[in-house]
Amino acid sequence: MSSDLGDLRELYQEVILDHNRCPRNFRRPAGANRSAQGNNPLCGDRVTVFLQVEGDCLQDVAFEGAGCAISTASASMMTEAVRGKTLAEARQLFRRFHALLTTGPEKNPRAGEEMGKLEAFTGVREFPTRVKCATLAWHALQKALDEPDEAR
């Protein structure tokens, strides 16, 4: 059983490294009509999330910025997870992802429910200073969803 757990952690680590090496949706979309920035002054991570919202749907989601492997991978995976979702679905996914990293399944049994590849970040909650890295782009997403503005 512990070998299976080790294999799972290794797989999760590889997913994070892959999204760091080759981040998906690392660009500024031409049709973006919302954006928000996130900054972690403790480690220097910074990100700008761009959204193309049409009606109640996230047609396109992308990001630019610089950060550690966890921050970059999380932003990359976030863009894939929320593209095509409604604004309400994206907000709900933010809450579930945040719960996954802050409370874990012991205190919140639904925290990791159907999270797919995002479960790769489960181990981050063991390192509280890295939770900010993993949630930085997600907080920027939340801000862009809640405070619509024209993308700069």
Side-chain angles (χ1 to χ4, degrees), residues 5-24:
L5 184 59
D7 291 344
L8 186 59
R9 285 183 187 215
E10 188 174 313
L11 174 64
Y12 283 169
Q13 183 178 18
E14 188 54 42
V15 168
I16 290 171
L17 292 174
D18 177 52
H19 276 267
N20 177 57
R21 284 189 299 262
C22 302
R24 281 54 153 193

Side-chain angles (χ1 to χ4, degrees), residues 1 110 129 152:
M1 184 87 151
R110 295 189 63 197
T129 58
R152 296 184 275 270

Side-chain angles (χ1 to χ4, degrees), residues 5 10 16 24 39 44 57 59 69-70 76 91 93 101 109-110 141 150:
L5 184 59
E10 188 174 313
I16 290 171
R24 281 54 153 193
N39 181 36
C57 185
Q59 293 296 317
I70 290 173
S76 174
R91 286 183 181 100
L93 190 56
L101 270 59
R110 295 189 63 197
L141 169 71
E150 291 299 313

